[in-house]
Amino acid sequence: MPRKGMRSLCFSPETPLFQGSLSPSSSITSPASGFSESMIEQIIDTAAIIVAKWDGETSPYAKVTSMFYESKREAMHFIRSVNDLRKIMHFLVSGQDSGSENLIRAQRLMQIAMKRLQKEFYQILSMNRAHLDPESVSTRSSRTSTQSSLSDYDYDASPDYEIGAAKESISEVEEVSFMAMSDLKSIADCMIGSGYAKECVQIYNMIRKSIINEGIYKLGIEKVSSSKINKMEWDVLNLKIKGWLEAMKISMRTLFTGERILCDFVFSSSDSIRESCFSEITKEGAVLLFEFPEVVAKVKKSSPDRIFRLLGMYTAISDNWPEIETIFSFESISAVRSQALNSMARLSESVRLLLLDFESMIQKDSSKTTVPGGGIHPLTIYSMNYLTALADYGNILTDIISDWPPPAISSLPEISFYSPVSNESPAAPISDRISRLILVLLCKLDSKAKYYKDVAVSYLFLANNLQYVISRIHKSNLHSLLSKEWITKHEVKVNRLATSYERFAWGNVLASLPANPTAPMKPAEAKECFRKFSISFEDAYWKQISCVVPNSMLRDQIKVSIGRKLVAVYRNFFDSHKSTIGDEKSITLFVRFYPEDVGNYLSDLFIRTLTSGGGSSPSSSS
């Protein structure tokens, strides 16, 4: 009995042709217990008519025309005829009538029909590349909604695809995509059920993989070795990282999402086939995409500033992890998930090393140049810019640092003034790290304050820089990473530093006045007291006029404090003893400053620099 070309799947449920495809017993509803001879011949005759019409070997019309584009109604009739033909073949085989002429005839028709469907499947995929691109397909909110909306469509009820009101609610692109996906699914269901899954899958994988590979190429994703990355200039690598971040966004939003939606829908009749197809099409490109961050993280020479690019890549993977798990959920494509996790682990390791490098950079800063007027040190500005930028990645840093052992306090300089806040209630690892980095900065600033010859200016320098640190904390996400206790205690330290500045800068001026400014004095004693005050005030003024206090609140606080202590005492002394030294002429000779003058000069403090020309001399203006 001739059986050349006979598909074993149609006759032996135990021996599927394509690994993973459905056997007839699982994909075909068992026919009725019997078909009459006339019914069998009628079904085969009906199938023969439409199959012959679309046989490209015998029909010139079929050779140049697409059945699905020519008539949807006829295409669906063709699919139904093939399905009926398959049921007849199954019935004949199950009835041990494998040698009948009807079965041989049906088999030949099935081969011609499958060849036609292969061609239609290829044409729909290739001619609809634009409408079946991942972006068009991924406009659906989810794979579930796509399957639901498409499966609800009834070809029989609307043979010409007149969708009516539903059709008006979607765009033209979505409509064409909708139709193409439906046609592909109909053909795939028919070919898989008829034992031609292998041919169907080969066509699908060939075309769809080329689309995904083209998309990956256009996004700039390519294989890059560690050695090549290490040789790149930072500007070049930075551009590549920016490109990867954009590629990651597009890939997850459209490229892989759209392909999963399409694959799930077209091969919804077979879980194993849709898994094998999606894995074959996307695995290579997806692994290449998620491999890049791991390669970048291995760069040997890297400055602390580059941490933000690494954090950006870590964030991109972390934020998309739920989608990665969903899209690449198949076990056969677990390599993609593993690569994404490997990249995150490598990025975490590099971020930790760069944090240590940042801390080391602060500790190793050896510049001895003082900032004029005790202003904000460049190291303070750089460090706080760095830390406030880090704080924007608070959640990501929390993940990275959560299992990182806390640093040893013993590794810090022993400066009691900046000793860490007590750990009565253990802080989160991220808070420990941030507070430690600030502590390292403050300790370094303390060592730099010693380069000022004027002790008072050194205290003002420390007050200014600590106030700057606190201000930046309040204005950034750092305030949510550091405890209120930490911030409050350091605000108290600013006040203590400001008080120390006042004592060293203006202590001699206050000491020149008697403890009891209103106590009786001899004229000579009063004149000497006025003289000492004038000399000490002028000396202090000239030393402090070049000092700066950038923070307006701290500036006003210090001015008010000095004025309250100095001007009030001097006014009492002046009012009590100006008559002691004689008449108006004598006062002019011995009193160089009136209380109003002292207040005016004090109000002029902390807003000038050494290069601004200074102010008028207290003695000359008096």
Side-chain angles (χ1 to χ4, degrees):
M1 188 67 64
R3 292 195 181 186
K4 186 177 181 180
M6 181 72 74
R7 288 281 166 171
S8 60
L9 180 59
C10 296
F11 301 93
S12 177
E14 291 83 7
T15 312
L17 171 70
F18 179 71
Q19 186 174 0
S21 62
L22 295 178
S23 65
S25 61
S26 63
S27 62
I28 304 173
T29 303
S30 298
S33 57
F35 283 103
S36 66
E37 186 72 21
S38 60
M39 187 182 299
I40 292 174
E41 290 180 356
Q42 182 181 354
I43 291 173
I44 295 175
D45 288 343
T46 301
I49 295 172
I50 192 166
V51 169
K53 178 179 179 180
W54 292 101
D55 183 359
E57 299 293 330
T58 59
S59 170
Y61 173 79
K63 188 176 293 187
V64 298
T65 307
S66 168
M67 175 170 58
F68 276 82
Y69 281 91
E70 182 67 20
S71 172
K72 297 291 184 180
R73 182 190 294 273
E74 190 155 351
M76 291 303 102
H77 177 49
F78 187 97
I79 293 290
R80 283 195 297 272
S81 295
V82 171
N83 289 334
D84 290 343
L85 195 62
R86 184 183 63 207
K87 294 176 183 178
I88 290 299
M89 293 171 69
H90 190 282
F91 171 75
L92 292 174
V93 171
S94 63
Q96 305 300 317
D97 196 10
S98 58
S100 71
E101 289 298 324
N102 283 333
L103 181 60
I104 294 171
R105 186 183 175 202
Q107 175 229 341
R108 289 172 180 168
L109 289 173
M110 179 66 76
Q111 290 176 337
I112 297 171
M114 289 298 109
K115 190 173 182 180
R116 181 70 214 184
L117 288 180
Q118 279 181 253
K119 180 178 181 180
E120 293 289 333
F121 197 71
Y122 177 86
Q123 286 180 327
I124 294 171
L125 281 171
S126 58
M127 294 175 66
N128 285 279
R129 287 176 70 99
H131 296 105
L132 291 176
D133 69 293
E135 184 172 2
S136 298
V137 175
S138 62
T139 53
R140 301 286 175 176
S141 60
S142 67
R143 292 194 299 279
T144 302
S145 64
T146 303
Q147 292 182 38
S148 174
S149 61
L150 291 175
S151 61
D152 288 344
Y153 182 70
D154 186 348
Y155 290 108
D156 293 328
S158 302
D160 294 318
Y161 283 61
E162 291 298 332
I163 309 176
K167 182 178 177 182
E168 296 174 3
S169 66
I170 56 177
S171 68
E172 182 180 352
V173 173
E174 288 177 305
E175 181 184 338
V176 176
S177 173
F178 177 99
M179 294 179 180
M181 290 172 68
S182 300
D183 293 342
L184 290 171
K185 173 175 168 54
S186 297
I187 296 174
D189 288 346
C190 185
M191 292 185 71
I192 292 170
S194 301
Y196 283 76
K198 182 177 180 180
E199 289 79 357
C200 181
V201 167
Q202 285 176 339
I203 295 170
Y204 186 87
N205 286 353
M206 176 185 68
I207 294 179
R208 295 309 302 177
K209 189 170 184 178
S210 70
I211 292 175
I212 293 299
N213 289 345
E214 180 182 344
I216 290 290
Y217 175 79
K218 287 182 177 180
L219 290 173
I221 303 301
E222 58 181 355
K223 185 77 173 178
V224 185
S225 64
S226 296
S227 59
K228 186 176 181 180
I229 290 288
N230 274 304
K231 293 176 183 177
M232 283 184 185
E233 294 293 332
W234 170 244
D235 290 343
V236 177
L237 181 55
N238 190 35
L239 287 175
K240 280 192 169 293
I241 294 174
K242 285 183 178 179
W244 181 88
L245 291 170
E246 185 62 25
M248 178 69 180
K249 187 187 305 180
I250 295 172
S251 296
M252 296 309 300
R253 188 176 64 233
T254 61
L255 193 65
F256 296 123
T257 302
E259 189 57 42
R260 180 66 192 268
I261 291 172
L262 181 63
C263 198
D264 281 359
F265 181 76
V266 172
F267 298 109
S268 60
S269 63
S270 172
D271 292 343
S272 58
I273 291 178
R274 64 191 181 95
E275 175 177 349
S276 66
C277 285
F278 184 74
S279 179
E280 171 67 22
I281 292 166
T282 63
K283 183 177 180 179
E284 182 180 344
V287 168
L288 198 62
L289 174 71
F290 292 116
E291 188 179 49
F292 179 76
E294 182 179 8
V295 178
V296 173
K298 293 179 181 178
V299 173
K300 296 177 181 178
K301 296 180 180 179
S302 189
S303 69
D305 289 340
R306 299 182 185 181
I307 193 174
F308 301 107
R309 281 299 178 204
L310 301 187
L311 287 170
M313 289 191 288
Y314 187 101
T315 302
I317 300 176
S318 177
D319 287 351
N320 283 285
W321 181 247
E323 288 73 21
I324 293 171
E325 282 194 304
T326 301
I327 295 171
F328 303 101
S329 59
F330 297 128
E331 188 59 34
S332 60
I333 205 168
S334 61
V336 175
R337 302 194 303 274
S338 297
Q339 181 58 64
L341 290 174
N342 289 342
S343 287
M344 291 177 73
R346 191 69 195 214
L347 287 168
S348 295
E349 181 182 343
S350 294
V351 166
R352 292 176 179 181
L353 291 175
L354 288 174
L355 286 175
L356 292 177
D357 288 345
F358 173 66
E359 179 179 325
S360 178
M361 181 207 69
I362 296 175
Q363 291 177 329
K364 292 179 180 178
D365 187 285
S366 58
S367 62
K368 297 182 179 181
T369 305
T370 57
V371 180
I376 311 301
H377 199 282
L379 180 63
T380 308
I381 297 173
Y382 168 76
S383 299
M384 292 312 297
N385 285 343
Y386 191 91
L387 291 174
T388 53
L390 277 181
D392 292 337
Y393 295 91
N395 292 334
I396 294 299
L397 278 174
T398 297
D399 291 340
I400 293 174
I401 295 176
S402 59
D403 58 347
W404 195 15
I409 297 298
S410 58
S411 63
L412 292 170
E414 294 183 2
I415 300 179
S416 59
F417 189 81
Y418 294 118
S419 60
V421 176
S422 61
N423 289 325
E424 295 176 1
S425 54
I430 179 65
S431 300
D432 280 342
R433 283 287 165 179
I434 294 296
S435 60
R436 175 189 172 85
L437 290 173
I438 295 176
L439 179 58
V440 170
L441 170 63
L442 296 178
C443 290
K444 176 56 66 173
L445 292 173
D446 189 87
S447 66
K448 291 183 180 297
K450 297 173 183 177
Y451 296 124
Y452 285 98
K453 295 179 180 179
D454 188 337
V455 177
V457 181
S458 70
Y459 277 108
L460 186 63
F461 167 78
L462 292 174
N464 277 332
N465 282 267
L466 182 52
Q467 180 61 51
Y468 179 83
V469 169
I470 293 172
S471 296
R472 292 298 301 274
I473 289 172
H474 279 301
K475 295 176 182 177
S476 69
N477 288 328
L478 284 171
H479 78 274
S480 63
L481 300 179
L482 296 169
S483 67
K484 291 182 179 180
E485 178 192 17
W486 189 99
I487 296 173
T488 300
K489 287 193 174 184
H490 283 78
E491 287 173 337
V492 171
K493 291 173 184 178
V494 172
N495 294 332
R496 288 166 57 190
L497 289 167
T499 300
S500 296
Y501 161 75
E502 293 175 27
R503 184 173 68 253
F504 282 96
W506 302 95
N508 288 339
V509 182
L510 280 170
S512 68
L513 296 171
N516 183 0
T518 59
M521 277 188 179
K522 295 179 181 179
E525 292 176 334
K527 291 176 183 179
E528 179 62 17
C529 200
F530 275 113
R531 185 186 71 82
K532 287 182 179 179
F533 176 83
S534 298
I535 292 173
S536 61
F537 179 76
E538 186 171 4
D539 180 61
Y541 176 84
W542 275 112
K543 285 182 178 180
Q544 305 308 316
I545 189 60
S546 60
C547 290
V548 294
V549 180
N551 184 272
S552 60
M553 291 182 64
L554 180 60
R555 183 168 61 243
D556 292 343
Q557 173 189 329
I558 295 176
K559 284 184 180 182
V560 169
S561 179
I562 296 172
R564 186 171 59 248
K565 296 171 184 175
L566 187 60
V567 177
V569 175
Y570 182 64
R571 185 180 298 279
N572 287 337
F573 175 76
F574 179 85
D575 291 342
S576 299
H577 300 288
K578 63 180 179 179
S579 59
T580 305
I581 59 177
D583 55 15
E584 192 67 31
K585 184 176 181 181
S586 297
I587 293 176
T588 304
L589 290 174
F590 293 101
V591 179
R592 293 163 59 185
F593 299 104
Y594 281 75
E596 293 77 13
D597 297 327
V598 173
N600 290 336
Y601 284 119
L602 291 177
S603 67
D604 203 29
L605 292 173
F606 310 132
I607 58 175
R608 307 182 185 196
T609 65
L610 288 172
T611 58
S612 67
S616 58
S617 166
S619 57
S620 62
S621 63
S622 295

